[in-house]
Amino acid sequence: MTLWGGRFSGKLDEQAWKLNASLPFDQRLALQDVKGSLAWAKALLKAGVLSSGEHTATVNGLKSIAEAFKNGHFVFGEGDEDIHTAVERRLGELIGETAGKLHTGRSRNDQVATDFRLWMLEALPELQNAIRGLQSVLVSVAEENESVVMPGYTHLQRAQPITLAHWLMSHFWSLQRDLERLTDLTKRVSVLPLGSGALAGTTLKIDREALAADLGFASASANSLDAVSDRDFAAEYLFCAAMTGLHLSKLSEAVVLFSTAEFGFIELSDAFSTGSSLMPQKKNPDLFELARGKAGTLVGLLTGLLTTLKGLPSTYDKDLQEDKLPVFQASDTLMSILPVLGGALETMSVKADKMLAAIDGSLYATDLADYLVHKGVPFRTAHGMVGKAVKLAAEKSSALDQLSVEEYQAIGPFEADVYELFNPLASVNKHNVNGGTSQDAVKQQIQKAKSYLKGEIK
Ligand code: ARG
């Protein structure tokens, strides 16, 4: 049974039917569809379309359908084109002709937009919790490694000493922005389309604000034409997902690099690395590579939907059926990556000695310039003087901390205390500005992060 057979005398071609049907993916909206229908039945009762007996029958029927979905007993029929058809067909089997009143004043256009938004209102906090899970791991691993020093990189070249904690926390804050974006998006998802009908609204006396409140929406949409076509929320969701994907990719790229023999900064646990079918010695960071790779897929999902939306005229067009697959895929992708990355970071071993060994004398060049600045040398001049010291060390195949006092003094106003600079933690702790890499500053950063995680700051 289709919901639209009346004006047709022939059957839809079999392959056309398959192309048209959305049940394979929109059955994921089953419980939201029933929820929306329950609220709509209440609105129909208030509008005088359903008698109280009919309303009770409808509610009981819908509730038993919801039960069947929950325990996996719901049987789809061959003619179920989409989830809305399936629910209505089953309701008819359960309560008879009264089921036919449920769709009064409603179209699948406002119905599907409502279902999808209801789904997203549930999915958003779940995604946020998964992000918070990874953030908590970053914080706890950072706390364990507050005094572990490593080279910080720019251009992937060793730059200045930092702490591992500071590096880990840098990934906390990008995820924090992702959380904020999702919270902000929630406002725009929480707008009810139901009551917009196919496009023009409904002739029934429906209190749409009450309906919105019933379904947990913050408000009802202001324009029925806009309401049935608005998929901004889906595109925004995909942007948020892609952005999180990029953040996870950045983290993953570093983990892949740091776990190579060339870096050797970390070793992943057996539970979170894989082997090679050919090379017995290999221990591969596949899961991080997948996270990095899936970021590309997430960007593609966003691009795909934006391209689908581009050029659509006003109100509902069947193109919009293409909105659900990318959003579901993006959600599943992130929900599968986030806990795995958390587990892997939590169980990796940190090779503090390797990190320390990678801090060679050249990483103190900026500290040497700052030393001269404190002696009154203008920074630009100090930069030039230290550059000369770097050049001299390179010519001698030596290092900055190996040059003699005499050599330093020939270059600028250095004194014997210059060697005190070549200490990683001392260097780190001099960067004691808010947000800097000093141990104190990182402690404060971690405290702030914990307050975010506890919900004390929003
Ligand atoms: N399966 C459709 C979708 O996901 C439901 C809306 C169908 N509306 C219509 N006028 N054919 O978009």
Side-chain angles (χ1 to χ4, degrees):
M1 172 204 81
T2 60
L3 300 177
W4 40 265
R7 58 110 60 222
F8 289 83
S9 39
K11 260 185 81 186
L12 188 61
D13 170 86
E14 206 177 306
Q15 295 188 66
W17 166 267
K18 274 200 178 152
L19 176 62
N20 189 49
S22 53
L23 187 68
F25 50 90
D26 69 15
Q27 55 182 276
R28 197 159 165 167
L29 300 176
L31 291 177
Q32 289 78 16
D33 197 70
V34 173
K35 189 174 172 184
S37 287
L38 281 167
W40 188 243
K42 187 169 158 191
L44 291 180
L45 171 71
K46 288 202 221 161
V49 175
L50 290 182
S51 69
S52 95
E54 288 168 334
H55 176 253
T56 308
T58 305
V59 167
N60 290 341
L62 287 170
K63 283 188 174 163
S64 88
I65 290 172
E67 274 317 299
F69 278 125
K70 279 187 203 152
N71 58 34
H73 292 163
F74 189 91
V75 183
F76 288 107
E78 256 185 40
D80 293 343
E81 174 185 331
D82 54 26
I83 189 63
H84 326 293
T85 315
V87 170
E88 197 174 321
R89 188 255 315 146
R90 182 65 189 140
L91 187 64
E93 289 165 7
L94 290 171
I95 69 166
E97 227 187 322
T98 304
K101 292 196 171 183
L102 180 61
H103 212 55
T104 318
R106 185 175 73 170
S107 154
R108 282 180 297 164
N109 299 354
D110 55 349
Q111 189 178 359
V112 71
T114 302
D115 292 2
F116 198 19
R117 284 170 183 267
L118 281 173
W119 176 88
M120 198 173 282
L121 287 175
E122 290 169 35
L124 286 171
E126 283 168 21
L127 178 55
Q128 288 183 307
N129 279 339
I131 293 175
R132 282 193 200 97
L134 179 57
Q135 283 184 307
S136 309
V137 172
L138 289 166
V139 168
S140 72
V141 182
E143 272 191 308
E144 287 161 21
N145 292 284
E146 277 185 336
S147 57
V148 171
V149 286
M150 65 183 280
Y153 295 82
T154 64
H155 311 267
L156 218 49
Q157 307 287 322
R158 290 177 188 170
Q160 290 184 296
I162 58 170
T163 63
L164 175 57
H166 194 46
W167 180 82
L168 287 163
M169 289 306 293
S170 70
H171 297 281
F172 176 97
W173 297 108
S174 53
L175 293 170
Q176 186 61 28
R177 292 192 294 278
D178 294 337
L179 283 181
E180 286 168 16
R181 253 188 290 277
L182 292 170
T183 299
D184 192 61
L185 165 60
T186 306
K187 286 186 279 186
R188 285 178 292 285
V189 184
S190 197
V191 179
L192 174 79
L194 202 59
S196 299
L199 77 162
T202 170
T203 54
L204 304 176
K205 289 227 163 324
I206 302 285
D207 177 352
R208 295 190 62 230
E209 294 303 328
L211 187 58
D214 245 16
L215 283 169
F217 285 94
S219 64
S221 56
N223 180 304
S224 61
L225 305 177
D226 180 42
V228 295
S229 74
D230 173 17
R231 293 296 184 277
D232 295 10
F233 68 97
E236 274 192 61
Y237 179 91
L238 290 173
F239 173 77
C240 293
M243 201 67 234
T244 301
L246 296 193
H247 290 146
L248 299 180
S249 177
K250 184 192 230 176
L251 169 66
S252 298
E253 165 60 8
V255 170
V256 169
L257 215 53
F258 290 171
S259 61
T260 57
E262 283 72 11
F263 276 81
F265 288 0
I266 52 178
E267 186 182 340
L268 295 174
S269 67
D270 286 358
F272 293 97
S273 33
T274 48
S276 156
S277 57
L278 190 144
M279 300 163 283
Q281 86 284 9
K282 290 296 286 293
K283 190 169 182 188
N284 294 329
D286 291 41
L287 302 162
F288 288 91
E289 294 166 71
L290 282 168
R292 193 178 56 190
K294 283 175 189 293
T297 306
L298 289 167
V299 172
L301 294 171
L302 168 65
T303 314
L305 183 64
L306 288 175
T307 312
T308 296
L309 297 176
K310 183 209 158 291
L312 288 189
S314 190
T315 86
Y316 182 84
D317 303 276
K318 194 64 170 252
D319 316 47
L320 293 175
Q321 182 165 286
E322 291 292 304
D323 59 354
K324 284 167 283 295
L325 274 173
V327 168
F328 291 156
Q329 190 182 336
S331 164
D332 292 343
T333 301
L334 287 178
M335 294 302 282
S336 67
I337 300 175
L338 285 161
V340 172
L341 294 197
L345 293 177
E346 208 164 24
T347 56
M348 71 182 180
S349 48
V350 169
K351 308 290 179 196
D353 51 336
K354 284 282 184 72
M355 294 188 181
L356 180 62
I359 300 179
D360 63 71
S362 70
L363 272 76
Y364 301 100
T366 315
D367 291 339
L368 285 173
D370 285 344
Y371 168 96
L372 293 175
V373 166
H374 284 296
K375 293 195 181 299
V377 181
F379 178 75
R380 205 35 71 212
T381 314
H383 189 284
M385 288 171 169
V386 178
K388 277 189 191 141
V390 170
K391 191 164 172 244
L392 178 63
E395 280 162 6
K396 296 177 64 186
S397 301
S398 179
L400 278 181
D401 49 347
Q402 303 299 319
L403 296 180
S404 68
V405 192
E406 293 73 29
E407 284 168 322
Y408 269 117
Q409 286 177 337
I411 293 172
F414 290 99
E415 288 167 65
D417 63 354
V418 66
Y419 297 100
E420 289 165 22
L421 295 179
F422 299 103
N423 174 323
L425 267 186
S427 164
V428 156
N429 284 330
K430 266 186 242 143
H431 295 84
N432 196 24
V433 68
N434 226 341
T437 192
S438 82
Q439 287 174 287
D440 279 347
V442 172
K443 273 202 182 82
Q444 281 177 30
Q445 201 186 134
I446 288 176
Q447 283 322 312
K448 191 170 175 189
K450 283 181 163 175
S451 303
Y452 271 113
L453 283 175
K454 285 193 215 135
E456 291 163 2
I457 336 179
K458 284 205 200 309

